[in-house]
Amino acid sequence: VQLQASGGGLVQAGGSLRLSCVTSGLTFRQYTVGWFRQAPGKQREFVAAYIRSGSGGRIHYTDSVKGRFTISRDNAESTAYLQMNSLKSEDTAVYYCAVGQPPAISGYDNGNAYRYWGQGTQVTVSS
């Protein structure tokens, strides 16, 4: 199983980036996909999750990104996306995609519930 995250970069505050996570070696539609981030000196935090359709297919966001970030997935392409708009300096972090089968109702925001992880892509927002 491989996950390849890309799309990070340097952007000014208020700008946008679109992250991609291309997966291989698994039946993507059977997995929940999550995005997490880790800023320097801080713990990894949950950003967004797209629950697998077999468990309801719901979407969840952490409060700080609601209305600005959009998670999506293309099961035919085994790829997940994170569209990030209105970026703020506090969004600066390494962003990771992960797939797993966490509980659909709770636990989707727990990184320990995800089995496979990508390598991370750096997002830097300048103010």
Side-chain angles (χ1 to χ4, degrees):
V1 176
Q2 290 188 330
L3 280 70
Q4 182 71 41
S6 62
L10 174 63
V11 64
Q12 289 187 334
S16 298
L17 284 173
R18 188 192 195 202
L19 306 184
S20 298
C21 177
V22 180
T23 72
S24 60
L26 52 77
T27 304
F28 181 67
R29 67 178 182 275
Q30 295 180 350
Y31 287 83
T32 288
V33 60
W35 287 95
F36 293 78
R37 65 187 180 187
Q38 187 166 19
K42 295 186 177 181
Q43 290 188 335
R44 183 181 62 196
E45 67 170 345
F46 167 77
V47 176
Y50 200 131
I51 308 300
R52 58 185 176 138
S53 60
S55 295
R58 297 191 66 179
I59 290 174
H60 302 278
Y61 299 99
T62 192
D63 286 345
S64 63
V65 309
K66 286 180 179 177
R68 299 189 299 121
F69 289 12
T70 302
I71 188 173
S72 61
R73 63 189 296 165
D74 184 336
N75 289 336
E77 297 294 330
S78 298
T79 301
Y81 303 95
L82 186 67
Q83 177 68 42
M84 305 186 296
N85 298 330
S86 301
L87 282 161
K88 305 176 181 179
S89 58
E90 51 263 43
D91 295 319
T92 294
V94 178
Y95 283 70
Y96 299 90
C97 61
V99 294
Q101 295 177 328
I105 305 302
S106 64
Y108 55 82
D109 56 350
N110 182 351
N112 293 328
Y114 290 79
R115 182 172 182 181
Y116 305 108
W117 289 78
Q119 84 287 2
T121 184
Q122 175 70 48
V123 172
T124 303
V125 184
S126 62
S127 57

